[in-house]
Amino acid sequence: MVNGINDGIYGAYGGGASYGIDGNLNDEEKKNGKSSPEECETCKNRKYQDGSNEMVSFKAAAHISPEAAGAAVRAHEGEHVSNAYNKAYENDGKVVNASVRIYTSVCPECGRTYVSGGVTNTAIKYGNEENPYMKDFKAQQAAVLTGQNIDKKE
């Protein structure tokens, strides 16, 4: 999970400042205090850091430009999904669900919309042979399936 340290409200999706072909703000945006298309101080100081216990990127806080944040966060969350599949494979399990949510926010200083973080949720099902419920389930299945198929040779 990557979370911006100095980011705004999660899940907020809004239009940032709209720049013309020449990169200038329109009159209403100038009046509302929007800054130029260059990175503002808030965007320059924004850092991303992983909060999970997995070995993935962004364990140490790092700056990502607003333009590159979307790709970096998606790639990072993909690492979590990949780790889940590897863990399932190594422990004789099966990934039954993997979902990724990407959050966006609006910079309070310049009004730019940026990717502020992401969350990955995975569910892995393991076949536990030592579990008494699993042993009982298999015994019931054996009783039902016994004798359903015969190999008749003539």
Side-chain angles (χ1 to χ4, degrees):
M1 173 173 77
V2 170
N3 292 320
I5 292 174
N6 293 322
D7 54 357
I9 301 169
Y10 279 144
Y13 186 82
S18 56
Y19 301 103
I21 294 174
D22 59 357
N24 294 323
L25 298 169
N26 63 35
D27 291 336
E28 185 177 325
E29 290 166 337
K30 287 179 186 175
K31 184 173 67 176
N32 291 332
K34 303 289 185 185
S35 64
S36 68
E38 283 92 34
E39 234 177 35
C40 67
E41 282 302 309
T42 303
C43 290
K44 283 181 185 176
N45 294 326
R46 185 175 300 114
K47 294 182 186 273
Y48 294 80
Q49 184 171 14
D50 179 70
S52 73
N53 59 357
E54 292 186 48
M55 292 307 300
V56 289
S57 59
F58 297 107
K59 293 313 274 182
H63 170 73
I64 306 171
S65 71
E67 297 83 15
V73 170
R74 283 189 299 273
H76 171 82
E77 298 305 327
E79 289 180 60
H80 288 293
V81 173
S82 178
N83 286 350
Y85 276 93
N86 289 337
K87 182 178 178 184
Y89 177 77
E90 291 169 359
N91 297 307
D92 196 30
K94 179 181 180 182
V95 175
V96 292
N97 182 31
S99 66
V100 174
R101 287 181 290 168
I102 304 295
Y103 295 104
T104 58
S105 295
V106 178
C107 178
E109 184 178 342
C110 67
R112 177 184 295 186
T113 302
Y114 65 95
V115 172
S116 57
V119 175
T120 298
N121 292 310
T122 58
I124 302 173
K125 180 180 177 183
Y126 296 99
N128 188 353
E129 299 293 328
E130 300 302 317
N131 183 341
Y133 296 106
M134 185 58 77
K135 286 181 180 179
D136 187 46
F137 174 76
K138 286 188 176 190
Q140 289 175 358
Q141 289 294 327
V144 170
L145 298 174
T146 301
Q148 287 191 0
N149 297 319
I150 55 172
D151 189 12
K152 186 176 172 184
K153 294 185 182 180
E154 293 185 34

